[in-house]
């Protein structure tokens, strides 16, 4: 069975919640992919989607430079769901009128269902009232003759619509967000009732499909895998090893930017718990030389990424006749490294944006379609121990992007010692598994302090702790003051060169999880 034989394609118009749409669909065990709104119609047709969703977005459909998808999307013969901006675009392209609303709708609203069936099957029929989440300053003022309203709200006379003959539906509210209490039911009605999909995309089927694909592609060739010890690279190694066994050689590169004792612990763990062929490379001096004097975060990321590739290629030559490099690239890495409407991407990921244009090794990225929690589920399905699966994420560029400004051996010492304290106290308090990430950041400033009745002028450590499901969005963790106080006290007392600790209370968006 082809696990992608049924798929929902999401065309992204720039909404901050587009990734949530994909996640909500996958939660129903149906595969989904996100593509830019400008995806050529022929490419979309070749994907043979079971349905298409047009996302929300920050623009107005009547703006001169508003993003418009090819109107041919509606003639593909597959169901299309427009959400917010996507709904307005659908109706405008069919001849309706969208104008700036006299009364905008932002936040919770009451939806009144006018017609049961379709998106609202099982949701109460006429008179059914439900809480939904609105976020729009425009509204549909005139609908095309081919459409009929199926729901209203106080400020949206056309809060939901359907085409009279074609499988085209539109909603002004956002079914993907938790504040829309019927969101899951609406999306299920679209996926299963209108598109006719079946819930067959599981991690078991993912393994079967990808193992077959890897075997078919690699044949009797050799593969090297970048093994950092994190969940992404560990699961990558596991699924490739399942596919080709001893044809895989894993390479752990100590880039000098690892946490205290981490490289030794990783090597020990995999040698004791797996049958992987593993090479350990200490490249500390090489990477610190490459980063000497570098302060720009994008330059850091790309130099680290290029450095990894250089080392992998050298090791591949030593092994002989290696053709493939496996990496633990995830879907959020891909999404964040792709620009929208020609704008700059959020950041270059070391295993996406940092790759040279011409590589001597072909990439294998079996996790490229997965979010982090799906990778953890996959790892458990593959039989990896929980201690490997539930480690907090650690960035590929390591501490290099948690040191603001230049990376030096002394600054690495300070950050490593602070990081140890953060993780020890999070585990001691029982919070390590409760949060997505918790770590220390070394700031590029010094501040005045007092120690032992004497003036100090030393470094500042920022604590970063966030809650998330997939790293696409995150909220800062409301840690108990007692934990914050203990971490701060220990860092200031035990880490030479630090006299101040601050706590980052920024969410993503607008901030990112990592500082660089």
């Amino acid at each position: 069975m082809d696990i992608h034989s049924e798929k929902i394609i999401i065309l992204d118009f720039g909404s901050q919640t587009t990734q949530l749409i994909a996640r909500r669909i996958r939660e129903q065990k149906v595969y989904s992919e996100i593509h830019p709104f400008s995806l050529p119609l022929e490419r979309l047709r070749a994907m043979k989607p079971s349905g298409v969703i047009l996302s929300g977005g920050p623009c107005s459909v009547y703006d001169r430079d508003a993003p418009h998808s090819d109107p041919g999307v509606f003639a593909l013969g597959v169901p299309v769901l427009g959400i917010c901006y996507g709904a307005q675009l659908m109706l405008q392209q069919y001849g309706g009128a969208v104008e700036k609303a006299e009364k905008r709708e932002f936040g919770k609203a009451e939806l009144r269902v006018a017609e049961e069936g379709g998106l609202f099957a099982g949701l109460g029929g006429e008179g059914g009232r439900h809480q939904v989440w609105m976020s729009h300053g425009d509204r549909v003022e005139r609908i095309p003759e081919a459409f009929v309203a199926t729901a209203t709200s106080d400020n949206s006379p056309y809060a939901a619509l359907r085409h009279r003959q074609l499988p085209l539906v539109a909603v002004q509210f956002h079914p993907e967000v938790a504040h829309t209490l019927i969101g899951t039911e609406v999306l299920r009605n679209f996926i299963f009732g209108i598109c006719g999909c079946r819930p067959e995309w599981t991690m078991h089927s993912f393994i079967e499909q990808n193992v077959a694909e890897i075997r078919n592609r690699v044949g009797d060739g050799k593969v090297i895998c970048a093994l950092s010890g994190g969940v992404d690279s560990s699961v990558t190694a596991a699924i490739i090893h399942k596919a080709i066994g001893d044809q895989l050689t894993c390479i752990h590169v100590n880039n000098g930017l690892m946490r205290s004792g981490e490289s030794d612990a990783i090597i020990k763990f995999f040698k004791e718990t797996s049958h992987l062929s593993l090479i350990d490379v200490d490249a500390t001096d090489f990477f610190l030389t490459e980063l000497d004097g570098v302060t720009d975060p994008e330059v850091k990321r790309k130099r680290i990424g290029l450095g990894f590739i250089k080392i992998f290629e050298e090791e591949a030559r030593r092994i002989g006749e290696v053709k493939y490099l496996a990496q633990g690239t995830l879907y959020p890495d891909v999404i964040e490294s792709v620009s929208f409407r020609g704008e700059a991407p959020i950041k270059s990921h070391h295993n996406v944006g940092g790759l040279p244009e011409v590589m001597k090794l072909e990439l294998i990225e079996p996790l490229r379609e997965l979010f982090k929690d799906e990778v953890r589920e996959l790892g458990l399905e593959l039989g990896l121990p929980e201690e490997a699966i539930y480690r907090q994420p650690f960035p590929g560029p390591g501490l290099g992007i948690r040191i603001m400004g230049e990376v030096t051996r002394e600054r690495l010492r300070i950050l490593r010692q602070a990081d140890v304290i953060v993780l020890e106290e999070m585990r001691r308090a029982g919070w390590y598994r409760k949060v997505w990430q918790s770590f220390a950041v070394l700031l590029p400033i010094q501040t005045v302090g007092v120690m032992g009745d004497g003036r100090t002028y030393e470094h500042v450590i920022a604590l970063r702790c966030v809650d998330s499901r997939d790293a696409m969005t995150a909220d800062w963790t409301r840690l108990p003051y007692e934990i914050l106080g203990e971490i701060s006290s220990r860092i200031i007392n035990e880490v030479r060169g630090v006299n101040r600790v601050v706590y980052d209370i920024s969410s993503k968006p607008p901030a990112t999880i990592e500082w660089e």
Side-chain angles (χ1 to χ4, degrees), residues 381-399:
E381 184 78 23
L382 287 164
L384 289 176
E386 287 196 7
E387 62 184 297
I389 295 303
Y390 287 103
R391 292 184 65 203
Q392 290 184 4
F394 185 62
L399 300 179

Side-chain angles (χ1 to χ4, degrees), residues 442-482:
L442 179 59
L443 303 190
I445 59 173
Q446 292 174 273
T447 64
V448 173
V450 178
M451 288 185 177
D453 296 326
R455 178 186 185 274
T456 62
Y457 188 59
E458 294 180 331
H459 295 282
V460 180
I461 288 289
L463 303 180
R464 181 70 160 144
C465 187
V466 297
D467 300 316
S468 181
R469 288 191 61 188
D470 52 27
M472 295 308 303
T473 60
D475 192 17
W476 64 277
T477 304
R478 277 65 173 173
L479 277 179
Y481 289 159
E482 293 77 13

Side-chain angles (χ1 to χ4, degrees), residues 222-241 244 247-253 270 276-281 308 312 315-316 319 322 324-329 361-367:
K222 295 180 181 178
V223 180
I224 59 174
C225 177
L227 184 62
S228 69
V231 59
D232 305 336
S233 63
S234 298
V235 174
T236 297
I239 193 170
I240 293 178
H241 188 259
I244 61 172
Q247 293 167 242
L248 170 69
T249 299
C250 293
I251 301 173
H252 172 71
V253 178
F270 281 101
L276 294 174
S277 174
L278 180 59
I279 296 173
D280 179 22
V281 180
F308 273 121
F312 295 146
E315 293 301 319
I319 296 169
V322 173
Y324 301 98
L325 167 65
Q327 290 190 148
T329 305
L361 299 174
E362 294 182 29
L363 280 178
I364 296 178
E365 299 173 309
L367 312 184

Side-chain angles (χ1 to χ4, degrees), residues 116-397:
E116 188 174 17
L119 290 179
F120 301 113
L123 293 175
E126 186 172 355
R129 297 169 182 265
H130 306 280
Q131 177 187 302
V132 298
W133 189 263
M134 297 282 194
S135 181
H136 62 100
D138 299 328
R139 76 176 193 178
V140 179
E141 296 292 350
R142 186 185 73 252
I143 65 172
E145 291 184 4
F147 283 79
V148 59
T150 56
T152 64
S153 71
D154 286 345
N155 293 322
S156 291
Y158 309 112
L161 304 102
R162 65 168 176 83
H163 194 283
R164 296 180 188 273
Q165 283 85 38
L166 301 176
L168 308 179
V169 288
V171 294
Q172 186 60 71
F173 59 91
H174 286 268
E176 70 273 22
V177 303
H179 297 298
T180 295
L181 301 185
I182 58 169
T184 297
E185 289 82 354
V186 168
L187 289 174
R188 282 178 59 85
N189 285 334
F190 177 70
I191 298 165
F192 300 120
I194 298 176
C195 297
C197 293
R198 294 162 295 181
E200 295 179 342
W201 192 72
T202 64
M203 287 303 104
H204 181 74
S205 63
F206 182 90
I207 291 171
E208 289 183 344
Q209 175 77 10
N210 278 270
V211 164
E213 289 177 355
I214 292 166
R215 286 174 179 163
N216 182 61
R217 180 180 176 188
V218 173
D220 59 358
K222 295 180 181 178
V223 180
I224 59 174
C225 177
L227 184 62
S228 69
V231 59
D232 305 336
S233 63
S234 298
V235 174
T236 297
I239 193 170
I240 293 178
H241 188 259
K242 183 178 179 66
I244 61 172
D246 292 341
Q247 293 167 242
L248 170 69
T249 299
C250 293
I251 301 173
H252 172 71
V253 178
N254 180 357
N255 60 2
L257 307 173
M258 306 291 283
R259 290 175 289 200
S260 181
E262 188 157 34
S263 280
D264 291 340
I266 289 167
I267 298 301
K268 184 174 184 290
F269 173 81
F270 281 101
K271 284 186 175 179
E272 291 179 353
T273 62
S274 75
H275 300 288
L276 294 174
S277 174
L278 180 59
I279 296 173
D280 179 22
V281 180
D282 188 344
T284 299
D285 292 340
F286 168 76
F287 278 95
L288 292 185
T289 299
E290 288 292 301
L291 294 174
D292 186 30
V294 176
T295 58
D296 184 280
E298 277 293 281
V299 176
K300 282 186 192 177
R301 283 180 172 272
K302 289 183 177 179
R303 287 200 181 183
I304 293 169
L306 290 169
F308 273 121
I309 298 303
K310 181 176 184 295
I311 291 170
F312 295 146
E313 288 184 333
E314 290 174 354
E315 293 301 319
R317 283 195 295 271
R318 291 190 181 97
I319 296 169
E321 299 180 358
V322 173
K323 187 177 180 181
Y324 301 98
L325 167 65
Q327 290 190 148
T329 305
L330 303 193
Y331 204 27
D333 299 339
V334 177
I335 294 170
E336 288 192 339
S337 296
V338 175
S339 63
F340 171 72
R341 299 183 68 200
E343 297 169 2
I346 295 172
K347 58 188 175 185
S348 295
H349 288 268
H350 73 286
N351 51 354
V352 181
L355 295 176
E357 293 183 4
V358 179
M359 275 187 56
K360 297 176 183 177
L361 299 174
E362 294 182 29
L363 280 178
I364 296 178
E365 299 173 309
L367 312 184
R368 190 179 177 88
E369 301 166 345
L370 302 183
F371 291 98
K372 178 73 79 171
D373 59 324
E374 293 171 330
V375 173
R376 290 194 167 110
E377 183 182 348
L378 175 61
L380 294 175
E381 184 78 23
L382 287 164
L384 289 176
E386 287 196 7
E387 62 184 297
I389 295 303
Y390 287 103
R391 292 184 65 203
Q392 290 184 4
F394 185 62

